[in-house]
Amino acid sequence: MAADERAAEERAADDTNSASLSIACFIHSLHGGGAERVMAGLTSRLAERGHRVSLITFDDGASDRHVIAPSVQRVPLALSVDARGLLAKFRQVRARHHAIADAVERLRPDVVLSFCDRTNLDVLMATDPSGPPVVVCERSDPARQSLGPFWNAVRRHQYGQAATVVALTETSASYLRPFSKSVAVIPSAVDRPPLTSDREQAGARKRIAGVGRLEPEKGFDRLLIAFAQATSDDPSWRLVIYGEGTQRDALIAQAKSLGIDDRLELPGWVRPLAEPLSQATLFCLPSRYEGFPSALLEAMSLGVPSLSVDCESGPRVIIDHGRDGWLVESSVEGLRGGIETLIADVRQREALGRAGMGIVDQFGWDTMVDRYEQLLRDVVRERPSTKRS
């Protein structure tokens, strides 16, 4: 290649890396959850960097629990989600795809960014392959979170149409590579907290905290059993689980059957969470599988000693066992043993909490946004025909 041609290419690359992008971001809703928190934070920060960002959700936006920057264009599609019967569900999916296609046509973005498995499939199926490139992001462990036989097959096919698939960990990326031509690994981020845990007061409270949707995959049913067993000799310990979901009544009934209903608190959705979470003696993540758990990152950033099941995706990447957190076998027995260990060994527990605060340097927002921004620029540069005229 001639020197003048090489210089021209370098100038074009520099122009692409300095120009603002028009980015259409899709997610099912902003109704709580770790993926929604990250999407809200990512879109806000991309907009603050001068990009033209739209955030499109399938709901009507009335139940938003995460705040976005005023410079982000909020586009709620207000689509129905209560279809029953095969024909009604088919019509619902078709209406969703029409709404997605119309939004992309109206917004004319340089690139589309989608979060979460089923949303990713809807966006890929609704958009024109000759249109703007689509980047899709898995926010859990796709090897463990089945969409059912039909949608699993659709995912294997449709992910081949994405410009890039983003995984949270290398474990998840390995699962996705056989059916995607381009897979990137970008972990989640955690905010630097506005406060740190007062460990003298938190230790005296004898409170174990959990955070997450009250759904089967989050494993709170087995946390209740482990807690009941580990604290049977000291009923002054309490368990508080922040979050909402379909399993609330089942967990209350289970707590009664275990004789710990007077020691369980379910405050529901609480935001901001930093202050109440900082009061915990110990944080526990009992999930059956995870992506890159925001709650674990948040607890560690506050200086709350944190215990987690040893999921291949997420916790194993976040926690350095025995130094800044405690990993246990993914079972009731593992959780019980971990709780017993950290209740008994105060010195070890508090050392974990102090070391855990370094997580904000390892998984900071600037690093994550930098990587997304560069990825979006790269896929646009590879598809120059999609740029705005």
Side-chain angles (χ1 to χ4, degrees):
M1 180 184 294
D4 56 346
E5 292 178 350
R6 187 181 303 110
E9 284 195 2
E10 290 174 355
R11 285 195 299 272
D14 289 341
D15 289 344
T16 302
N17 284 329
S18 61
S20 63
L21 297 173
S22 174
I23 310 166
C25 301
F26 285 85
I27 193 168
H28 52 281
S29 75
L30 292 181
H31 187 64
E36 295 92 325
R37 178 191 70 85
V38 173
M39 177 60 93
L42 177 59
T43 53
S44 296
R45 287 166 172 84
L46 287 171
E48 289 165 0
R49 293 187 179 196
H51 301 290
R52 184 163 64 89
V53 182
S54 303
L55 178 51
I56 305 102
T57 60
F58 297 161
D59 69 347
D60 61 6
S63 61
D64 284 4
R65 286 174 166 164
H66 294 289
V67 178
I68 58 175
S71 51
V72 176
Q73 181 183 3
R74 183 75 170 84
V75 184
L77 298 180
L79 299 170
S80 173
V81 294
D82 59 355
R84 295 184 179 182
L86 187 60
L87 182 58
K89 289 180 179 179
F90 172 78
R91 289 173 175 165
Q92 178 178 282
V93 169
R94 186 171 61 179
R96 186 184 306 151
H97 291 178
H98 282 313
I100 293 168
D102 288 345
V104 172
E105 176 63 26
R106 183 173 67 255
L107 295 168
R108 300 183 63 80
D110 296 316
V111 61
V112 174
L113 177 65
S114 175
F115 266 30
C116 301
D117 40 36
R118 270 304 310 279
T119 300
N120 296 342
L121 299 183
D122 287 326
V123 170
L124 286 167
M125 295 169 72
T127 50
D128 187 341
S130 66
V134 178
V135 174
V136 299
C137 308
E138 281 282 349
R139 304 307 303 177
S140 188
D141 181 356
R144 295 292 306 276
Q145 183 161 301
S146 174
L147 304 178
F150 174 76
W151 288 109
N152 283 341
V154 172
R155 174 164 57 184
R156 286 191 293 271
H157 172 71
Q158 288 294 327
Y159 274 16
Q161 308 302 312
T164 297
V165 177
V166 177
L168 289 165
T169 66
E170 184 57 40
T171 297
S172 295
S174 297
Y175 175 83
L176 294 166
R177 286 194 178 101
F179 42 94
S180 176
K181 59 183 181 253
S182 173
V183 177
V185 178
I186 304 179
S188 278
V190 61
D191 290 295
R192 192 170 293 278
L195 52 87
T196 56
S197 178
D198 183 324
R199 297 310 305 155
E200 184 175 351
Q201 292 184 15
R205 283 192 180 91
K206 293 188 174 182
R207 179 182 299 176
I208 297 174
V211 178
R213 291 176 293 108
L214 307 184
E215 302 296 344
E217 65 269 21
K218 294 301 181 181
F220 292 123
D221 56 319
R222 55 186 188 171
L223 177 57
L224 262 61
I225 299 171
F227 171 80
Q229 294 174 350
T231 62
S232 60
D233 293 336
D234 187 354
S236 60
W237 281 88
R238 301 185 65 80
L239 175 63
V240 54
I241 302 173
Y242 300 97
E244 273 299 347
T246 63
Q247 299 300 298
R248 168 180 279 275
D249 290 344
L251 292 172
I252 292 172
Q254 182 185 8
K256 289 181 179 178
S257 69
L258 292 168
I260 59 169
D261 51 304
D262 61 336
R263 299 197 285 135
L264 172 66
E265 299 176 34
L266 296 174
W269 175 264
V270 176
R271 276 293 184 270
L273 186 57
E275 197 279 329
L277 184 56
S278 72
Q279 297 177 15
T281 310
L282 173 67
F283 171 81
C284 188
L285 185 83
S287 304
R288 290 181 165 87
Y289 60 87
E290 272 292 349
F292 210 85
S294 294
L296 175 59
L297 293 171
E298 189 166 0
M300 292 175 69
S301 74
L302 290 164
V304 178
S306 297
L307 177 155
S308 172
V309 294
D310 188 12
C311 298
E312 284 188 41
S313 180
R316 189 179 297 177
V317 177
I318 296 169
I319 287 179
D320 181 359
H321 175 66
R323 188 189 70 82
D324 57 12
W326 201 256
L327 294 173
V328 300
E329 176 187 288
S330 184
S331 65
V332 169
E333 293 75 17
L335 289 164
R336 183 194 67 226
I339 292 171
E340 289 174 345
T341 296
L342 296 186
I343 283 178
D345 192 341
V346 177
R347 180 175 295 181
Q348 168 83 78
R349 184 180 76 216
E350 295 308 317
L352 297 178
R354 289 190 296 273
M357 289 189 287
I359 206 70
V360 296
D361 299 316
Q362 187 177 356
F363 298 108
W365 271 100
D366 284 346
T367 298
M368 191 194 81
V369 178
D370 286 347
R371 295 179 67 180
Y372 268 104
E373 186 177 38
Q374 189 58 55
L375 173 61
L376 297 175
R377 290 191 190 280
D378 288 346
V379 299
V380 169
R381 184 165 56 241
E382 292 167 7
R383 297 273 294 276
S385 63
T386 65
K387 293 184 182 180
R388 296 187 306 276
S389 57

